[in-house]
Amino acid sequence: MATQPVASRKAYPDVPLFRYDYTDLSIEEVSRRLAAPVLSGPQGLEPSVDLAGEYLRFRSEDGPSVDFHFNAEMRVEVSGAETAYGALTLDHVTLVALMMPHSVRGYALAWDRHDNRATLIELWFGDGPAPTAREVNREVWHGYIDTGNGAPEAELHAPTARCEGRACMWAEDTGNRTIDYYPSSAFSHWVELDRMAEGRGYSAPSDYIKLTEDLYLYTRTEAEFSGLWHMYVMDANRLESVGLRLGFNGLDELEYYMFRGHGEWLGQLARFQTFGDVSGDPLAFEDAERGERRIYRPLRDWDTMTEAEVDAAMAEHGAKVFERASPMAGHGLPPSDGLSGKSFTIHYDGGPSMEYRFTSADALQWRENGGGWTTARYNAWQNMPGVFIFGHYLQGKPDHDGHIVVADLETGKATAFRGYLNTPYFANEAGAETWFGKLEGEGIPDPGEDRHERTLDLLGRAFTWSYSPGLTSMHLYSSPNTVSWIIFTPSQHGGAEWSGSGDYVKIRDELYFVRWQEEACNGTLGTILINMRTMHDSGIGYHMGRDGLSMSPVGAYARHAGRIEGVLPYLTDKPGGTSV
Amino acid sequence: MTTRREALKLGALAAAPVAALAPAAALAGDDNAARLARLEDERAIADLVKGFVRRFNGSKDCAAFVAHAGAVRIDPQVSAIRHDTAHDPQLSFAEDGRSARWQSRAEVDLVSAFDGDTTMEKMARFQGQGSASARTSRRLAADLTRTNDGWTISHVTLA
């Protein structure tokens, strides 16, 4: 296995976040790093709202009762202790943030001054449920500020699906800009435009809370990465926000600041809940402990293997190539026998020449650069006339290569995604390369120098996929090198979301060859050929596990969920915005 | 003496009439005894299929209804079979009367267990979704064989 590169220590790494080795800070270290900054309150460029003289008694049905007694000089008494606070107002909602002195706990309070409805978010480090001390825990309580008249008549703030599908670019007064996608009601996806050089998107568990018809509260916990907590109250009409960022960056520096943001509307995707269903928090579960929620932690749950373990598993189980039906292809096209009897060579630019004889509908012979012939099992699908996607395993390759090829017999162009194991990070994690080439064979035209090309046609676009009854997802093509996927709940809310490196190749008009790698996740290389005219795809998954390597079909019905067109100006030329 | 209609009601799946497609030779000469035998066969087969479906929907142990272990070729995702009353079953007999073929429409409940190692399945499990169910229309086709003990299912599929 190749030597793992050592990433330089940076507040915002120049490697993908899932490759960065965040320090496992102890709770003592967290406490030490919090001690002094807490006493001066959250930093910020905009002067804080002075709440001196206010006495806010937060009350909720099931949550805590917390009294905030605001004094002069930006001090507040809470639970018998005095600390510093910050406050920013967005229209009629004031966001208050504070950390308790000599502790690792704090609060964020969104207070609607019009009707005294309020949402209190408890914040703490350590003591779970987050698995590391550096990851911020939060618990959300909806209630009101008690003025002696009891609870307000209006419905309290509540989780909502009303934000689902939208995307905005937010520019903080700090100068930091992010593209925030809200394709789920429980997760979100963001792209750092300034803090990180690479235009890659990441996914995180999120809260979406409706305060008013205009105002919504959003949070994300950058779990599995830094553990930073980012939140803001946003005005969906005016595209203004006030927010708080809390946690430790890649240099373990505390970020504890409030900001005002200005947004740019980038577009929106369709929602798929039943008409009238705007309920939120679709992944909630009963009897959750304080702060507990469903946080997808793919790396922690993934069974990683060493190169020796991969070799042993391959020796014992070998490669299973299209051996059985897959739930990922229940709605897929049947394999095609259209290549049977054909033979051709693919000359990859800067890569090998792969010669093929297709001896039957599921058997081929291949040889590389004129070497010896090897027989292999394959499957092929023709999901646009004249265009085939086929895949096979290359027995004998040290990194257990699998080739997934799109061959256009009418243009003579071919593109392959080469999947391989033994990445520098995990031996059973699939790496991938994209090879462009041309076909040579009887009746196949010579494309000359023309090749398929990478494309931005799919950038910002989303498709839902129905693989089998009940097994569905949505793809969000969020950056030029990121594919994100969202799992629907039974109520068709967007639920869990994750993402990985992606690459996009245009084969023909409305026909695209896409791959994604589930790095530091499930290790799979997913490949699909998307036909936007039939709204059907055909593809191949390449996966290594304890029971060997598998190449299995992927096929699903598509629905077009829309396109966030506004991202193009921000991501088209983003450094690193091409495939990796 | 029961009428043909009544006989079928006794045994037909969900009381649906069976359209019996008998070879002309089998009933030549308007032989009442042969006709009665045929009606009894139809009822026995309908009872057999009905019993098979009931058992499939219950314990799934259908051994008593089939000729051999490999007779049942039904997708493991199928959890329940319901006769589609909008369509009459079709029953045809071989010339020699020793075998027959049953075809009917059925509404089928499919349960997909998300127990695989694909990322979609893992994430569905993470969300608390261990399986999904769906209902679809399928054609129930059964090949039947007459034995010394009566009729048995030699092959049954849902397609």
Side-chain angles (χ1 to χ4, degrees):
Chain A
M1 186 161 65
T3 303
Q4 184 171 329
V6 177
S8 58
R9 306 302 294 177
K10 286 193 171 182
Y12 287 85
D14 51 11
V15 297
L17 296 182
F18 50 80
R19 299 301 193 203
Y20 192 74
D21 187 18
Y22 286 98
T23 310
D24 186 12
L25 294 175
S26 67
I27 191 62
E28 291 77 18
E29 187 64 21
V30 168
S31 181
R32 189 186 70 75
R33 289 170 186 264
L34 280 171
V38 160
L39 298 178
S40 53
Q43 302 301 298
L45 294 174
E46 180 174 314
S48 181
V49 174
D50 189 347
L51 297 173
E54 293 281 2
Y55 191 14
L56 304 181
R57 302 174 184 84
F58 177 82
R59 300 291 181 268
S60 64
E61 188 171 331
D62 301 318
S65 296
V66 184
D67 294 356
F68 300 88
H69 196 171
F70 293 92
N71 297 321
E73 298 180 345
M74 304 305 295
R75 311 294 292 177
V76 59
E77 291 177 44
V78 184
S79 303
E82 187 179 78
T83 188
Y85 72 92
L88 292 175
T89 293
L90 182 68
D91 197 37
H92 53 94
V93 169
T94 296
L95 176 67
V96 181
L98 61 96
M99 294 295 291
M100 300 298 290
H102 315 299
S103 84
V104 288
R105 298 183 301 111
Y107 296 101
L109 175 72
W111 167 39
D112 188 329
R113 290 169 175 257
H114 277 179
D115 56 20
N116 282 318
R117 291 180 300 155
T119 290
L120 180 71
I121 305 177
E122 288 185 84
L123 303 165
W124 70 97
F125 293 89
D127 198 29
T132 63
R134 69 178 300 140
E135 182 179 312
V136 177
N137 292 287
R138 105 291 174 251
E139 180 63 78
V140 183
W141 304 103
H142 304 298
Y144 59 95
I145 301 302
D146 187 0
T147 57
N149 297 319
E153 290 185 1
E155 287 187 11
L156 299 179
H157 302 157
T160 184
R162 292 283 303 280
C163 297
E164 190 177 311
R166 306 174 195 169
C168 289
M169 189 285 293
W170 290 104
E172 295 177 10
D173 53 12
T174 60
N176 292 318
R177 299 170 304 155
T178 58
I179 289 174
D180 290 1
Y181 292 96
Y182 318 122
S184 157
S185 290
F187 276 69
S188 61
H189 186 80
W190 85 102
V191 182
E192 297 278 354
L193 295 178
D194 299 297
R195 282 179 283 221
M196 298 181 69
E198 194 183 37
R200 180 187 294 270
Y202 300 94
S203 303
S206 291
D207 299 295
Y208 298 93
I209 297 161
K210 182 188 173 191
L211 307 184
T212 71
E213 175 64 17
D214 293 339
L215 302 175
Y216 298 83
L217 189 155
Y218 159 82
T219 82
R220 71 166 176 262
T221 304
E222 298 176 8
E224 292 288 88
F225 310 127
S226 67
L228 273 155
W229 190 69
H230 188 87
M231 68 83 67
Y232 47 81
V233 175
M234 60 176 151
D235 185 324
N237 278 315
R238 298 169 187 84
L239 297 177
E240 301 289 336
S241 68
V242 292
L244 168 68
R245 189 164 175 85
L246 173 66
F248 298 93
N249 62 30
L251 288 177
D252 304 328
E253 300 163 333
L254 177 67
E255 296 196 11
Y256 178 40
Y257 68 86
M258 298 189 76
F259 58 88
R260 184 173 294 277
H262 300 278
E264 180 180 329
W265 177 263
L266 299 180
Q268 64 183 315
L269 308 173
R271 293 197 295 117
F272 296 95
Q273 298 92 344
T274 303
F275 284 113
D277 183 358
V278 293
S279 62
D281 201 7
L283 298 185
F285 56 97
E286 292 183 3
D287 302 323
E289 299 291 328
R290 179 169 161 268
E292 191 179 19
R293 59 174 165 168
R294 287 190 167 96
I295 297 182
Y296 187 54
R297 299 188 186 280
L299 180 54
R300 289 174 186 275
D301 297 337
W302 184 35
D303 181 16
T304 58
M305 299 168 68
T306 65
E307 190 170 341
E309 288 174 322
V310 165
D311 288 343
M314 290 301 291
E316 182 177 356
H317 302 289
K320 301 176 180 66
V321 181
F322 308 117
E323 280 192 359
R324 59 188 176 202
S326 168
M328 291 295 290
H331 293 156
L333 289 168
S336 167
D337 63 358
L339 293 179
S340 180
K342 295 186 185 301
S343 58
F344 53 70
T345 301
I346 307 176
H347 302 285
Y348 292 111
D349 301 336
S353 288
M354 295 292 298
E355 199 170 342
Y356 289 104
R357 296 171 180 160
F358 297 88
T359 55
S360 75
D362 60 6
L364 59 74
Q365 293 178 312
W366 62 269
R367 64 174 180 172
E368 182 178 358
N369 299 329
W373 289 99
T374 301
T375 298
R377 181 176 168 83
Y378 81 102
N379 269 187
W381 294 267
Q382 183 178 200
N383 75 348
M384 186 175 274
V387 182
F388 292 84
I389 177 172
F390 69 94
H392 66 97
Y393 176 66
L394 284 78
Q395 185 74 39
K397 288 286 187 180
D399 292 330
H400 312 286
D401 294 17
H403 285 190
I404 298 100
V405 182
V406 168
D408 188 335
L409 303 188
E410 294 181 3
T411 66
K413 301 175 193 174
T415 298
F417 293 146
R418 175 205 167 221
Y420 60 93
L421 302 180
N422 301 331
T423 72
Y425 306 95
F426 308 101
N428 58 324
E429 174 187 83
E433 293 180 331
T434 302
W435 293 346
F436 298 99
K438 69 173 186 176
L439 295 157
E440 180 184 351
E442 185 178 341
I444 300 173
D446 183 349
E449 299 300 315
D450 288 347
R451 298 290 183 269
H452 298 140
E453 294 181 351
R454 288 199 167 90
T455 182
L456 296 173
D457 287 3
L458 298 183
L459 182 58
R461 203 181 288 275
F463 295 106
T464 69
W465 297 107
S466 173
Y467 306 97
S468 291
L471 192 61
T472 59
S473 76
M474 181 168 76
H475 280 177
L476 170 62
Y477 305 123
S478 62
S479 94
N481 66 345
T482 309
V483 170
S484 184
W485 55 91
I486 299 98
I487 310 300
F488 287 105
T489 69
S491 58
Q492 310 307 316
H493 283 76
E497 178 180 16
W498 208 246
S499 42
S501 297
D503 201 3
Y504 305 92
V505 178
K506 181 172 183 175
I507 303 300
R508 291 185 183 176
D509 289 344
E510 287 83 52
L511 187 67
Y512 298 97
F513 193 24
V514 175
R515 70 166 160 90
W516 65 94
Q517 292 153 253
E518 298 171 359
E519 304 117 322
C521 174
N522 200 26
T524 301
L525 166 65
T527 70
I528 51 175
L529 181 60
I530 304 171
N531 184 335
M532 286 184 62
R533 294 183 178 172
T534 61
M535 294 303 278
H536 215 166
D537 73 343
S538 298
I540 295 167
Y542 170 93
H543 175 83
M544 179 68 204
R546 297 279 171 191
D547 55 354
L549 187 147
S550 66
M551 293 181 72
S552 53
V554 176
Y557 298 126
R559 297 182 300 190
H560 192 213
R563 189 177 193 193
I564 309 286
E565 294 195 352
V567 300
L568 269 71
Y570 292 104
L571 295 175
T572 301
D573 298 320
K574 181 70 177 165
T578 55
S579 76
V580 291
Chain B
M1 180 177 175
T2 58
T3 64
R4 178 177 186 276
R5 191 72 168 171
E6 287 166 339
L8 288 168
K9 280 184 178 178
L10 289 174
L13 197 64
V18 174
L21 307 173
L27 300 177
D30 195 23
D31 184 333
N32 284 339
R35 285 186 179 279
L36 180 58
R38 176 54 46 85
L39 288 173
E40 288 176 346
D41 283 341
E42 291 171 1
R43 184 170 65 176
I45 289 171
D47 279 347
L48 180 68
V49 175
K50 181 180 178 182
F52 169 82
V53 168
R54 184 187 299 124
R55 184 66 62 85
F56 183 91
N57 291 340
S59 69
K60 295 283 191 296
D61 180 6
C62 300
F65 301 87
V66 298
H68 54 86
V72 182
R73 299 283 186 174
I74 293 179
D75 189 329
Q77 293 181 331
V78 175
S79 65
I81 304 168
R82 292 181 181 79
H83 178 63
D84 183 349
T85 55
H87 299 87
D88 290 344
Q90 301 282 319
L91 181 61
S92 58
F93 289 89
E95 288 283 346
D96 61 4
R98 303 294 302 172
S99 61
R101 182 167 178 77
W102 169 285
Q103 296 184 82
S104 60
R105 297 298 306 183
E107 285 194 337
V108 172
D109 290 343
L110 301 170
V111 175
S112 305
F114 300 148
D115 54 6
D117 62 1
T118 67
T119 302
M120 298 297 110
E121 290 172 280
K122 286 184 173 181
M123 293 181 76
R125 292 199 296 272
F126 159 78
Q127 293 191 164
Q129 299 160 236
S131 64
S133 59
R135 182 166 294 179
T136 186
S137 179
R138 294 279 176 90
R139 183 170 58 89
L140 176 67
D143 293 328
L144 303 118
T145 305
R146 187 195 300 276
T147 69
N148 292 337
D149 299 323
W151 290 92
T152 187
I153 297 171
S154 53
H155 191 241
V156 58
T157 61
L158 272 172

PDB file of all heavy atoms in Angstrom, chain A residues 89-109:
ATOM      1  N   THR A  89     -29.293  40.925  16.692  1.00  0.00           N
ATOM      2  CA  THR A  89     -30.719  40.898  16.379  1.00  0.00           C
ATOM      3  C   THR A  89     -30.925  40.861  14.874  1.00  0.00           C
ATOM      4  O   THR A  89     -30.265  41.598  14.127  1.00  0.00           O
ATOM      5  CB  THR A  89     -31.428  42.120  16.976  1.00  0.00           C
ATOM      6  OG1 THR A  89     -31.395  42.005  18.407  1.00  0.00           O
ATOM      7  CG2 THR A  89     -32.873  42.194  16.542  1.00  0.00           C
ATOM      8  N   LEU A  90     -31.821  40.008  14.454  1.00  0.00           N
ATOM      9  CA  LEU A  90     -32.258  39.946  13.064  1.00  0.00           C
ATOM     10  C   LEU A  90     -33.751  40.252  13.063  1.00  0.00           C
ATOM     11  O   LEU A  90     -34.539  39.435  13.559  1.00  0.00           O
ATOM     12  CB  LEU A  90     -31.991  38.558  12.486  1.00  0.00           C
ATOM     13  CG  LEU A  90     -32.359  38.370  11.018  1.00  0.00           C
ATOM     14  CD1 LEU A  90     -31.448  39.198  10.116  1.00  0.00           C
ATOM     15  CD2 LEU A  90     -32.273  36.895  10.629  1.00  0.00           C
ATOM     16  N   ASP A  91     -34.087  41.402  12.591  1.00  0.00           N
ATOM     17  CA  ASP A  91     -35.468  41.863  12.628  1.00  0.00           C
ATOM     18  C   ASP A  91     -35.978  41.804  14.072  1.00  0.00           C
ATOM     19  O   ASP A  91     -35.434  42.508  14.920  1.00  0.00           O
ATOM     20  CB  ASP A  91     -36.330  41.036  11.673  1.00  0.00           C
ATOM     21  CG  ASP A  91     -37.652  41.740  11.359  1.00  0.00           C
ATOM     22  OD1 ASP A  91     -37.640  42.980  11.232  1.00  0.00           O
ATOM     23  OD2 ASP A  91     -38.677  41.050  11.273  1.00  0.00           O
ATOM     24  N   HIS A  92     -36.942  40.959  14.364  1.00  0.00           N
ATOM     25  CA  HIS A  92     -37.488  40.956  15.720  1.00  0.00           C
ATOM     26  C   HIS A  92     -37.026  39.757  16.526  1.00  0.00           C
ATOM     27  O   HIS A  92     -37.604  39.444  17.568  1.00  0.00           O
ATOM     28  CB  HIS A  92     -39.013  41.026  15.691  1.00  0.00           C
ATOM     29  CG  HIS A  92     -39.656  39.984  14.827  1.00  0.00           C
ATOM     30  ND1 HIS A  92     -40.085  38.790  15.325  1.00  0.00           N
ATOM     31  CD2 HIS A  92     -39.914  39.971  13.499  1.00  0.00           C
ATOM     32  CE1 HIS A  92     -40.610  38.082  14.334  1.00  0.00           C
ATOM     33  NE2 HIS A  92     -40.512  38.772  13.218  1.00  0.00           N
ATOM     34  N   VAL A  93     -36.011  39.056  16.049  1.00  0.00           N
ATOM     35  CA  VAL A  93     -35.459  37.927  16.803  1.00  0.00           C
ATOM     36  C   VAL A  93     -34.039  38.275  17.247  1.00  0.00           C
ATOM     37  O   VAL A  93     -33.214  38.683  16.428  1.00  0.00           O
ATOM     38  CB  VAL A  93     -35.458  36.639  15.969  1.00  0.00           C
ATOM     39  CG1 VAL A  93     -34.641  35.546  16.656  1.00  0.00           C
ATOM     40  CG2 VAL A  93     -36.884  36.151  15.744  1.00  0.00           C
ATOM     41  N   THR A  94     -33.803  38.110  18.527  1.00  0.00           N
ATOM     42  CA  THR A  94     -32.464  38.337  19.063  1.00  0.00           C
ATOM     43  C   THR A  94     -31.828  36.996  19.401  1.00  0.00           C
ATOM     44  O   THR A  94     -32.447  36.156  20.067  1.00  0.00           O
ATOM     45  CB  THR A  94     -32.518  39.220  20.322  1.00  0.00           C
ATOM     46  OG1 THR A  94     -33.024  40.510  19.952  1.00  0.00           O
ATOM     47  CG2 THR A  94     -31.140  39.382  20.935  1.00  0.00           C
ATOM     48  N   LEU A  95     -30.624  36.825  18.904  1.00  0.00           N
ATOM     49  CA  LEU A  95     -29.861  35.612  19.177  1.00  0.00           C
ATOM     50  C   LEU A  95     -28.837  35.935  20.257  1.00  0.00           C
ATOM     51  O   LEU A  95     -28.019  36.840  20.089  1.00  0.00           O
ATOM     52  CB  LEU A  95     -29.155  35.130  17.905  1.00  0.00           C
ATOM     53  CG  LEU A  95     -28.241  33.918  18.059  1.00  0.00           C
ATOM     54  CD1 LEU A  95     -29.042  32.658  18.407  1.00  0.00           C
ATOM     55  CD2 LEU A  95     -27.424  33.696  16.779  1.00  0.00           C
ATOM     56  N   VAL A  96     -28.909  35.201  21.355  1.00  0.00           N
ATOM     57  CA  VAL A  96     -27.999  35.404  22.484  1.00  0.00           C
ATOM     58  C   VAL A  96     -27.109  34.178  22.594  1.00  0.00           C
ATOM     59  O   VAL A  96     -27.590  33.046  22.446  1.00  0.00           O
ATOM     60  CB  VAL A  96     -28.781  35.585  23.802  1.00  0.00           C
ATOM     61  CG1 VAL A  96     -27.815  35.831  24.967  1.00  0.00           C
ATOM     62  CG2 VAL A  96     -29.790  36.717  23.686  1.00  0.00           C
ATOM     63  N   ALA A  97     -25.827  34.402  22.838  1.00  0.00           N
ATOM     64  CA  ALA A  97     -24.900  33.274  22.983  1.00  0.00           C
ATOM     65  C   ALA A  97     -24.008  33.497  24.189  1.00  0.00           C
ATOM     66  O   ALA A  97     -23.535  34.618  24.416  1.00  0.00           O
ATOM     67  CB  ALA A  97     -24.051  33.120  21.721  1.00  0.00           C
ATOM     68  N   LEU A  98     -23.780  32.451  24.918  1.00  0.00           N
ATOM     69  CA  LEU A  98     -22.891  32.539  26.072  1.00  0.00           C
ATOM     70  C   LEU A  98     -22.388  31.154  26.454  1.00  0.00           C
ATOM     71  O   LEU A  98     -23.015  30.144  26.158  1.00  0.00           O
ATOM     72  CB  LEU A  98     -23.621  33.170  27.261  1.00  0.00           C
ATOM     73  CG  LEU A  98     -24.860  32.430  27.777  1.00  0.00           C
ATOM     74  CD1 LEU A  98     -24.501  31.527  28.952  1.00  0.00           C
ATOM     75  CD2 LEU A  98     -25.937  33.426  28.173  1.00  0.00           C
ATOM     76  N   MET A  99     -21.224  31.137  27.079  1.00  0.00           N
ATOM     77  CA  MET A  99     -20.698  29.916  27.693  1.00  0.00           C
ATOM     78  C   MET A  99     -20.566  30.176  29.180  1.00  0.00           C
ATOM     79  O   MET A  99     -20.194  31.278  29.611  1.00  0.00           O
ATOM     80  CB  MET A  99     -19.329  29.560  27.097  1.00  0.00           C
ATOM     81  CG  MET A  99     -19.351  29.171  25.621  1.00  0.00           C
ATOM     82  SD  MET A  99     -20.264  27.657  25.283  1.00  0.00           S
ATOM     83  CE  MET A  99     -19.197  26.418  26.046  1.00  0.00           C
ATOM     84  N   MET A 100     -20.854  29.189  29.978  1.00  0.00           N
ATOM     85  CA  MET A 100     -20.784  29.351  31.421  1.00  0.00           C
ATOM     86  C   MET A 100     -19.328  29.346  31.875  1.00  0.00           C
ATOM     87  O   MET A 100     -18.500  28.598  31.337  1.00  0.00           O
ATOM     88  CB  MET A 100     -21.544  28.215  32.112  1.00  0.00           C
ATOM     89  CG  MET A 100     -23.010  28.152  31.741  1.00  0.00           C
ATOM     90  SD  MET A 100     -23.908  29.631  32.226  1.00  0.00           S
ATOM     91  CE  MET A 100     -23.899  29.439  34.014  1.00  0.00           C
ATOM     92  N   PRO A 101     -19.003  30.176  32.864  1.00  0.00           N
ATOM     93  CA  PRO A 101     -17.601  30.227  33.317  1.00  0.00           C
ATOM     94  C   PRO A 101     -17.205  28.931  34.020  1.00  0.00           C
ATOM     95  O   PRO A 101     -18.036  28.266  34.652  1.00  0.00           O
ATOM     96  CB  PRO A 101     -17.608  31.410  34.288  1.00  0.00           C
ATOM     97  CG  PRO A 101     -19.016  31.496  34.789  1.00  0.00           C
ATOM     98  CD  PRO A 101     -19.879  31.055  33.646  1.00  0.00           C
ATOM     99  N   HIS A 102     -15.938  28.603  33.864  1.00  0.00           N
ATOM    100  CA  HIS A 102     -15.359  27.431  34.543  1.00  0.00           C
ATOM    101  C   HIS A 102     -16.140  26.158  34.218  1.00  0.00           C
ATOM    102  O   HIS A 102     -16.314  25.282  35.060  1.00  0.00           O
ATOM    103  CB  HIS A 102     -15.316  27.643  36.061  1.00  0.00           C
ATOM    104  CG  HIS A 102     -14.818  28.987  36.460  1.00  0.00           C
ATOM    105  ND1 HIS A 102     -13.551  29.430  36.133  1.00  0.00           N
ATOM    106  CD2 HIS A 102     -15.425  30.027  37.108  1.00  0.00           C
ATOM    107  CE1 HIS A 102     -13.384  30.660  36.587  1.00  0.00           C
ATOM    108  NE2 HIS A 102     -14.513  31.050  37.167  1.00  0.00           N
ATOM    109  N   SER A 103     -16.634  26.083  33.002  1.00  0.00           N
ATOM    110  CA  SER A 103     -17.371  24.884  32.603  1.00  0.00           C
ATOM    111  C   SER A 103     -17.182  24.681  31.103  1.00  0.00           C
ATOM    112  O   SER A 103     -16.493  25.454  30.433  1.00  0.00           O
ATOM    113  CB  SER A 103     -18.859  25.016  32.937  1.00  0.00           C
ATOM    114  OG  SER A 103     -19.536  25.704  31.906  1.00  0.00           O
ATOM    115  N   VAL A 104     -17.806  23.665  30.600  1.00  0.00           N
ATOM    116  CA  VAL A 104     -17.751  23.408  29.159  1.00  0.00           C
ATOM    117  C   VAL A 104     -19.177  23.444  28.602  1.00  0.00           C
ATOM    118  O   VAL A 104     -19.501  22.755  27.644  1.00  0.00           O
ATOM    119  CB  VAL A 104     -17.083  22.042  28.874  1.00  0.00           C
ATOM    120  CG1 VAL A 104     -15.599  22.111  29.146  1.00  0.00           C
ATOM    121  CG2 VAL A 104     -17.742  20.932  29.687  1.00  0.00           C
ATOM    122  N   ARG A 105     -20.014  24.222  29.244  1.00  0.00           N
ATOM    123  CA  ARG A 105     -21.421  24.308  28.853  1.00  0.00           C
ATOM    124  C   ARG A 105     -21.779  25.738  28.457  1.00  0.00           C
ATOM    125  O   ARG A 105     -21.145  26.701  28.906  1.00  0.00           O
ATOM    126  CB  ARG A 105     -22.334  23.855  29.993  1.00  0.00           C
ATOM    127  CG  ARG A 105     -22.152  22.419  30.431  1.00  0.00           C
ATOM    128  CD  ARG A 105     -23.148  22.024  31.517  1.00  0.00           C
ATOM    129  NE  ARG A 105     -23.028  22.858  32.701  1.00  0.00           N
ATOM    130  CZ  ARG A 105     -23.948  23.746  33.098  1.00  0.00           C
ATOM    131  NH1 ARG A 105     -25.049  23.903  32.388  1.00  0.00           N
ATOM    132  NH2 ARG A 105     -23.775  24.455  34.196  1.00  0.00           N
ATOM    133  N   GLY A 106     -22.822  25.835  27.654  1.00  0.00           N
ATOM    134  CA  GLY A 106     -23.283  27.153  27.271  1.00  0.00           C
ATOM    135  C   GLY A 106     -24.677  27.093  26.675  1.00  0.00           C
ATOM    136  O   GLY A 106     -25.337  26.035  26.680  1.00  0.00           O
ATOM    137  N   TYR A 107     -25.118  28.262  26.173  1.00  0.00           N
ATOM    138  CA  TYR A 107     -26.462  28.352  25.612  1.00  0.00           C
ATOM    139  C   TYR A 107     -26.449  29.244  24.373  1.00  0.00           C
ATOM    140  O   TYR A 107     -25.663  30.187  24.264  1.00  0.00           O
ATOM    141  CB  TYR A 107     -27.436  28.989  26.618  1.00  0.00           C
ATOM    142  CG  TYR A 107     -27.652  28.200  27.878  1.00  0.00           C
ATOM    143  CD1 TYR A 107     -26.988  28.557  29.060  1.00  0.00           C
ATOM    144  CD2 TYR A 107     -28.522  27.115  27.911  1.00  0.00           C
ATOM    145  CE1 TYR A 107     -27.191  27.851  30.233  1.00  0.00           C
ATOM    146  CE2 TYR A 107     -28.732  26.400  29.088  1.00  0.00           C
ATOM    147  CZ  TYR A 107     -28.057  26.775  30.240  1.00  0.00           C
ATOM    148  OH  TYR A 107     -28.260  26.071  31.395  1.00  0.00           O
ATOM    149  N   ALA A 108     -27.372  28.927  23.492  1.00  0.00           N
ATOM    150  CA  ALA A 108     -27.766  29.870  22.433  1.00  0.00           C
ATOM    151  C   ALA A 108     -29.281  30.019  22.556  1.00  0.00           C
ATOM    152  O   ALA A 108     -29.997  29.016  22.686  1.00  0.00           O
ATOM    153  CB  ALA A 108     -27.387  29.332  21.062  1.00  0.00           C
ATOM    154  N   LEU A 109     -29.729  31.258  22.561  1.00  0.00           N
ATOM    155  CA  LEU A 109     -31.153  31.523  22.755  1.00  0.00           C
ATOM    156  C   LEU A 109     -31.650  32.391  21.595  1.00  0.00           C
ATOM    157  O   LEU A 109     -31.082  33.463  21.340  1.00  0.00           O
ATOM    158  CB  LEU A 109     -31.373  32.258  24.081  1.00  0.00           C
ATOM    159  CG  LEU A 109     -32.806  32.709  24.380  1.00  0.00           C
ATOM    160  CD1 LEU A 109     -33.686  31.500  24.708  1.00  0.00           C
ATOM    161  CD2 LEU A 109     -32.829  33.715  25.530  1.00  0.00           C
TER     162      LEU A 109
END
